[in-house]
PDB file of all heavy atoms in Angstrom:
ATOM      1  N   ALA K 403     -14.435 -17.947  37.307  1.00  0.00           N
ATOM      2  CA  ALA K 403     -14.757 -16.720  38.033  1.00  0.00           C
ATOM      3  C   ALA K 403     -14.136 -16.737  39.426  1.00  0.00           C
ATOM      4  O   ALA K 403     -14.398 -15.839  40.227  1.00  0.00           O
ATOM      5  CB  ALA K 403     -16.271 -16.564  38.142  1.00  0.00           C
ATOM      6  N   MET K 418       2.397 -12.396  23.985  1.00  0.00           N
ATOM      7  CA  MET K 418       2.960 -13.725  23.769  1.00  0.00           C
ATOM      8  C   MET K 418       2.833 -14.164  22.313  1.00  0.00           C
ATOM      9  O   MET K 418       3.721 -14.838  21.775  1.00  0.00           O
ATOM     10  CB  MET K 418       2.253 -14.734  24.677  1.00  0.00           C
ATOM     11  CG  MET K 418       2.504 -14.508  26.164  1.00  0.00           C
ATOM     12  SD  MET K 418       1.642 -15.700  27.181  1.00  0.00           S
ATOM     13  CE  MET K 418       2.433 -17.219  26.671  1.00  0.00           C
ATOM     14  N   LEU K 441     -10.858  -6.300  21.957  1.00  0.00           N
ATOM     15  CA  LEU K 441     -10.644  -5.488  23.161  1.00  0.00           C
ATOM     16  C   LEU K 441     -10.971  -4.023  22.883  1.00  0.00           C
ATOM     17  O   LEU K 441     -11.566  -3.338  23.728  1.00  0.00           O
ATOM     18  CB  LEU K 441      -9.183  -5.614  23.606  1.00  0.00           C
ATOM     19  CG  LEU K 441      -8.825  -4.946  24.927  1.00  0.00           C
ATOM     20  CD1 LEU K 441      -9.583  -5.596  26.077  1.00  0.00           C
ATOM     21  CD2 LEU K 441      -7.323  -5.026  25.181  1.00  0.00           C
TER      22      LEU K 441
END
Side-chain angles (χ1 to χ4, degrees):
M418 294 179 64
L441 186 64

